[in-house]
Amino acid sequence: MFYREAGDFKTSYREDNQTFPIKFDRYRYYSVMFAAFAVVPFLINDYWVNAIFLPFLIYSIAAIGLNILTGYCGQVSLGTGGFMAVGAYGCYKLMTAFPEVSILIHVILAGGVTGMVCVLFGLPSLRIKGFYLAVATLAAQFFLVWLFNRVPWFYNYSASGQINAPERTIFGIAVTGPNTQAWATYLFCLVIVTVCALVARNLTRGMQGRQWMAIRDMDIAAEIIGVNPLKAKISAFAVSGFFVGIAGALLFAVYLGAAEAGDSFGITKSFLVLFMIIIGGLGSIFGSFAGAAFLVLLPVFLKNVLVGWLGWPTDMAAHLEFIIVGALIVIFLIAEPHGLAQLWRVAKEKLRLWPFPH
């Protein structure tokens, strides 16, 4: 009965257009943010951070970036793993070349570099779309992985071919390297995720977001009413690349600590992020978080239940995970193309009317 709009009056256009029009939603959002910043850091340990929280936060940024490109602008991309590799290797080169600069600046600059590379590979979208654009971005995935494996300059001529994150600190607290603490890496990623989500939410709700959605729905009609297809598509690739590059930089520097392009940023990474936005919901910032949470928690849940409780072999549990994810993708594409975000939206609409049927 408390999930109601009755008595929640709007007295300005700003209040009428806010992200959470219902007061209960705003309180819930503030409560979640307070718990994430002020409660969780005191309760987590290394296992919770490395198994759940860091992958969830980092993949959420990557899913937001791909959702802007595919969900909002309608440009299919299968090169997310390669673009994450650009962010990772860009961050590594900056960390080794300018050790006195803050790691936060390195992560942001790595996102900028990835945005420029993404724009370069996004230029074919002005002429091709659909399956052909997907193949073009897939070619970018393989080319970038090959480039980082074959050119020794990118990994500083290391004999192993890997890149290793040196230790860097923020306010004297290590956030990269072997001496990091769980709460420090968690808070570092959480701050970046929060800022990225706010920026993405405001972009998609503004004029730029409406241009992206007009191109997605019908690019010819969008051009007729005055939307510049060149500007809209290139800006979508740039913003998407920026977020994906930040995710790649964090995945390498904060989470993995060491990476190799073929193993850490292969084609499976691209499909993983794509599955996140399909299951979570295309064209939804909340769907990016929901899909990332689902695909991060699912392997942990299956491992604990099937291997820990039932005593199944690890490889059988891994194969069952593939079956479940594949089945869910088919089900969501057929039954609910807008994913978990739409289910959550429908549930909230029913709560607003409950106990009345209409």
Side-chain angles (χ1 to χ4, degrees):
M1 297 298 290
F2 51 80
Y3 194 75
R4 289 289 183 272
E5 290 182 270
D8 191 4
F9 301 109
K10 311 295 189 301
T11 57
S12 66
Y13 286 113
R14 181 178 181 180
E15 292 179 353
D16 198 37
N17 292 322
Q18 57 191 337
T19 302
F20 302 107
I22 300 179
K23 190 176 297 184
F24 178 78
D25 282 337
R26 294 196 295 274
Y27 292 158
R28 175 174 51 83
Y29 169 75
Y30 296 144
S31 300
V32 170
M33 295 304 298
F34 175 79
F37 277 96
V39 178
V40 174
F42 297 100
L43 302 178
I44 55 176
N45 52 30
D46 288 334
Y47 171 77
W48 283 95
V49 168
N50 293 321
I52 297 177
F53 285 106
L54 282 188
F56 163 66
L57 295 174
I58 293 171
Y59 284 127
S60 294
I61 302 177
I64 289 173
L66 184 60
N67 220 337
I68 287 176
L69 182 62
T70 302
Y72 283 97
C73 197
Q75 308 303 302
V76 182
S77 174
L78 296 178
T80 309
F83 297 132
M84 291 178 72
V86 174
Y89 279 81
C91 183
Y92 171 70
K93 295 298 291 185
L94 290 169
M95 291 173 72
T96 54
F98 306 100
E100 69 281 354
V101 179
S102 171
I103 178 62
L104 183 61
I105 303 299
H106 290 154
V107 170
I108 295 174
L109 290 178
V113 171
T114 309
M116 291 187 288
V117 174
C118 202
V119 165
L120 181 64
F121 286 101
L123 290 175
S125 67
L126 304 177
R127 293 290 183 181
I128 59 178
K129 56 185 177 181
F131 173 76
Y132 302 99
L133 179 60
V135 172
T137 55
L138 185 62
Q141 163 73 38
F142 291 119
F143 171 76
L144 290 170
V145 171
W146 173 86
L147 182 68
F148 293 131
N149 279 331
R150 293 297 181 179
V151 180
W153 179 81
F154 287 110
Y155 50 84
N156 286 350
Y157 304 93
S158 170
S160 64
Q162 284 189 338
I163 53 176
N164 297 280
E167 182 173 307
R168 294 292 181 267
T169 62
I170 289 184
F171 303 115
I173 302 172
V175 293
T176 65
N179 299 318
T180 57
Q181 299 183 39
W183 65 269
T185 56
Y186 164 77
L187 281 179
F188 179 66
C189 291
L190 180 62
V191 170
I192 297 178
V193 169
T194 304
V195 175
C196 288
L198 290 175
V199 170
R201 178 61 178 166
N202 283 281
L203 277 175
T204 53
R205 293 179 71 227
M207 181 181 67
Q208 191 63 61
R210 290 192 291 272
Q211 291 181 357
W212 290 339
M213 288 182 278
I215 291 293
R216 175 197 64 191
D217 295 337
M218 187 175 291
D219 53 353
I220 297 177
E223 188 174 5
I224 291 175
I225 63 176
V227 176
N228 187 342
L230 171 64
K231 179 182 176 182
K233 292 182 180 181
I234 293 302
S235 63
F237 272 97
V239 174
S240 172
F242 178 74
F243 287 129
V244 170
I246 288 179
L250 292 176
L251 185 69
F252 153 68
V254 180
Y255 180 56
L256 297 177
E260 191 271 329
D263 295 334
S264 303
F265 303 102
I267 185 65
T268 55
K269 195 72 67 179
S270 299
F271 282 110
L272 176 63
V273 181
L274 180 63
F275 295 159
M276 287 178 181
I277 66 171
I278 291 175
I279 293 177
L282 293 169
S284 169
I285 302 299
F286 171 76
S288 302
F289 286 98
F294 185 86
L295 288 184
V296 167
L297 291 173
L298 179 63
V300 177
F301 173 77
L302 291 179
K303 184 177 180 180
N304 284 312
V305 172
L306 300 179
V307 179
W309 293 354
L310 302 180
W312 285 25
T314 306
D315 56 346
M316 185 179 295
H319 294 159
L320 182 62
E321 176 194 341
F322 293 145
I323 296 173
I324 293 176
V325 172
L328 286 173
I329 290 173
V330 173
I331 292 172
F332 274 108
L333 286 175
I334 295 175
E336 187 50 81
H338 295 288
L340 296 173
Q342 178 65 14
L343 296 179
W344 175 248
R345 195 177 299 118
V346 170
K348 290 199 301 182
E349 289 297 325
K350 291 187 177 296
L351 280 175
R352 291 166 73 177
L353 298 175
W354 185 84
F356 304 106
H358 303 290

